[in-house]
Amino acid sequence: MGKGCLKVFKYVVVHELHGLLYFMSAALLYLVITPTRLYTGNRRKMLFVAILTVLSYFYLFYEHIDPDIYILHLIPVSLGFAVLFEGAIPGICTWFAFNIGSYFFLHNEIAPVVAASSCMLLLGLYAHKRFLEGTLTRKIAISMVLLFAYMFVLLSMKPSLMQHSLFIITCLIGSIFSTWLTHYLYFNVKRQEIVKEKLINAEKYQLIGQLAASMSHEIRNPLTISRGFLQIMRKPSLTSEDLEKYIHFAIDGIDQSNAIITDYLNFAKPHVGKIEPIDINEEIKAVMPFITSLALLSNVDIQILPSDENPLIIMGESKKMRQCLLNLTKNGIEAMPDGGSLTIQTLRSQVGVEIIIKDTGVGMRKEQLRSAGLPFYTTKEKGTGLGLMVVNSLLKSMNGRIYFESKPNKGTRCQIVFKDNGKSMKVSGTV
Ligand code: ADP
Ligand code: MG
């Protein structure tokens, strides 16, 4: 008798473990390969369904499955988990997948499984929000209610399952234990994901805070200079020539402070704008008047090479795009104080939509290239060192990437890429 009990116990546990391993692999794989920053909303949920389908296929075709353990353990554990943690779409798809598996592959009776799993699905959909907001203990309590509801409906419609008491008790205990284990694991992995997300945001706010602190320092210098000149201007013995010179210096200092504030605000202000289709070629046309007036002062020749595809559409925000174009072309022109040529090219490549801004200016050495884009890094007397940082931040919000190539005394090539599947793009902050 003892040996028989042990045999049943082992049989159930081994089968439960097999099913559980498949399901947990699907759930954890899903979390690992679909970080929220890359996939959002329904797109992410569809990936859950895809992973579940592939693993269910392997499970149903390559494992030896006990039909009773399947409906007493794997279905309630997986379905409860999917609907409670991930919501409607994954829940409904899991419901479908397991009912199809149960009926078509394992030839279980259809009505009890459909009734029990539907009851669980509906309760899960109802409790989903409360479940997500609750603590781990609350989550497990809600799952237990769902599990018992499932078991109650299943066993009352299929009483034959209760013939082997040891079998059914082991299955029940296994389901309770598996529910607890899956919740505990998933809860912790998900919590890490949330913490990571929060950290990324916190980093940005910390940077904004640091910037604000160093900004006051950066602004104070030009303002002190302006104050000094204004003070000198009080002297009655000044010639009108000197006066003119000092006024010029004082204004310069104030302009410099103003430029720092403008760049900082562009970086720190929350991006509330609407992402919509914009034509890159049109955006370039719109900033041309500003660029040409700058270029005239430095004797720079501008060449525009628009793409064959016209209009060339990306998903973005016109205001941000223009700011990026201005900052980059301004850098290009400023790199050519003795004249040169600036080329702005747009094209559709294999990767997506590209904008290439090339200058024949002073260029950058490797170390300079690494530092460009860091807050307040500038090699210019009147620079703010915030322009490229702003460009990075704006492009990031439009799912764009930026790459630089530069050679000292030869020039700089700046390439902006908007991938076709813009939504899933990652942006490296490096310049
Ligand atoms: P700023 O223009 O105020 O100096 P940016 O962040 O726009 O600040 O640029 C940072 C630094 O990167 C510049 O001071 C310059 O040294 C370098 N840089 C950026 N673009 C170019 C370019 N096209 N050619 C050469 N150097 C550049
Ligand atoms: Mg600049």
Side-chain angles (χ1 to χ4, degrees):
M1 174 71 188
K3 259 193 175 173
C5 287
L6 200 65
K7 228 175 164 184
V8 172
F9 180 76
K10 260 192 190 164
Y11 177 82
V12 174
V13 170
V14 166
H15 276 76
E16 285 187 345
L17 265 180
H18 267 209
L20 195 63
L21 281 179
Y22 270 88
F23 185 70
M24 276 321 280
S25 310
L28 293 177
L29 197 68
Y30 160 71
L31 268 194
V32 172
I33 68 171
T34 60
T36 39
R37 268 177 305 134
L38 300 192
Y39 300 92
T40 46
N42 287 346
R43 218 180 131 134
R44 192 169 195 242
K45 305 225 149 126
M46 289 327 286
L47 267 165
F48 178 89
V49 176
I51 294 171
L52 187 74
T53 313
V54 171
L55 278 165
S56 302
Y57 173 85
F58 279 107
Y59 180 64
L60 289 167
F61 280 93
Y62 297 111
E63 289 287 338
H64 167 65
I65 305 168
D66 183 302
D68 289 344
I69 298 180
Y70 184 82
I71 57 173
L72 281 166
H73 173 260
L74 195 62
I75 294 189
V77 172
S78 315
L79 180 61
F81 175 92
V83 67
L84 286 174
F85 270 106
E86 297 298 335
I89 296 178
I92 292 167
C93 293
T94 311
W95 179 89
F96 254 111
F98 279 101
N99 275 301
I100 287 171
S102 164
Y103 182 66
F104 289 105
F105 291 90
L106 303 174
H107 311 293
N108 274 313
E109 229 180 292
I110 188 164
V113 183
V114 169
S117 57
S118 306
C119 167
M120 187 178 217
L121 179 70
L122 292 176
L123 280 176
L125 289 176
Y126 173 73
H128 172 58
K129 234 179 156 186
R130 239 172 275 177
F131 176 87
L132 284 186
E133 287 160 4
T135 57
L136 180 60
T137 323
R138 191 176 193 175
K139 283 184 172 45
I140 292 177
I142 293 177
S143 309
M144 286 301 134
V145 173
L146 259 70
L147 180 68
F148 283 113
Y150 175 91
M151 291 297 181
F152 179 76
V153 177
L154 184 75
L155 294 177
S156 42
M157 288 182 74
K158 197 172 160 55
S160 60
L161 280 170
M162 288 199 278
Q163 275 168 7
H164 312 285
S165 53
L166 179 65
F167 179 83
I168 187 95
I169 288 170
T170 318
C171 278
L172 273 176
I173 294 175
S175 304
I176 294 172
F177 180 73
S178 300
T179 304
W180 179 83
L181 182 73
T182 47
H183 280 52
Y184 181 75
L185 278 179
Y186 204 70
F187 176 76
N188 277 304
V189 176
K190 229 176 160 146
R191 194 164 57 178
Q192 273 181 16
E193 194 180 66
I194 294 166
V195 169
K196 213 160 122 195
E197 201 88 336
K198 279 190 183 159
L199 257 178
I200 291 168
N201 284 337
E203 246 170 56
K204 172 159 180 171
Y205 290 117
Q206 194 196 10
L207 180 62
I208 290 174
Q210 277 173 353
L211 271 180
S214 46
M215 238 186 67
S216 45
H217 175 77
E218 298 287 327
I219 293 173
R220 194 169 286 146
N221 282 343
L223 283 184
T224 316
I225 295 171
S226 302
R227 188 178 188 282
F229 283 115
L230 287 173
Q231 234 169 355
I232 300 174
M233 277 154 41
R234 269 202 188 137
K235 278 190 188 167
S237 58
L238 280 184
T239 63
S240 63
E241 230 174 62
D242 282 342
L243 195 65
E244 191 56 40
K245 207 164 67 189
Y246 294 156
I247 289 176
H248 180 74
F249 288 147
I251 291 177
D252 260 7
I254 292 166
D255 281 350
Q256 167 81 0
S257 313
N258 198 17
I260 294 177
I261 293 170
T262 312
D263 279 350
Y264 172 76
L265 288 180
N266 271 324
F267 177 76
K269 112 180 128 200
H271 304 302
V272 281
K274 196 169 94 208
I275 297 272
E276 54 189 2
I278 53 170
D279 177 5
I280 297 279
N281 293 329
E282 274 306 311
E283 298 306 320
I284 294 177
K285 257 191 218 160
V287 291
M288 270 316 276
F290 303 97
I291 305 174
T292 30
S293 61
L294 263 178
L296 270 177
L297 292 174
S298 315
N299 208 12
V300 168
D301 176 45
I302 298 184
Q303 245 195 319
I304 307 284
L305 305 172
S307 54
D308 295 333
E309 185 181 324
N310 210 349
L312 192 59
I313 303 289
I314 62 147
M315 292 304 290
E317 234 181 286
S318 168
K319 233 170 117 186
K320 289 181 186 171
M321 196 63 231
R322 289 180 194 183
Q323 179 80 45
C324 290
L325 289 169
L326 267 180
N327 286 11
L328 293 169
T329 46
K330 200 163 155 262
N331 276 351
I333 294 168
E334 283 165 355
M336 301 180 281
D338 304 320
S341 94
L342 183 84
T343 318
I344 307 172
Q345 188 185 359
T346 55
L347 58 121
R348 174 170 299 277
S349 70
Q350 281 174 335
V351 208
V353 172
E354 293 188 22
I355 308 172
I356 293 161
I357 301 172
K358 253 190 312 196
D359 65 65
T360 54
V362 292
M364 286 180 268
R365 292 189 309 277
K366 266 197 179 143
E367 325 75 82
Q368 270 182 297
L369 205 56
R370 266 199 297 270
S371 308
L374 294 177
F376 299 116
Y377 172 79
T378 179
T379 50
K380 298 169 197 165
E381 207 183 316
K382 289 183 186 170
T384 63
L386 293 175
L388 288 182
M389 190 187 74
V390 169
V391 169
N392 260 332
S393 151
L394 294 180
L395 283 179
K396 190 172 180 176
S397 68
M398 295 190 286
N399 294 310
R401 258 180 203 264
I402 185 162
Y403 306 94
F404 278 87
E405 274 170 38
S406 191
K407 277 210 174 106
N409 301 321
K410 285 266 158 51
T412 303
R413 179 181 189 270
C414 157
Q415 179 191 21
I416 303 174
V417 183
F418 295 95
K419 266 199 183 174
D420 279 336
N421 57 342
K423 269 191 188 161
S424 67
M425 264 198 56
K426 195 177 176 231
V427 178
S428 75
T430 48
V431 181

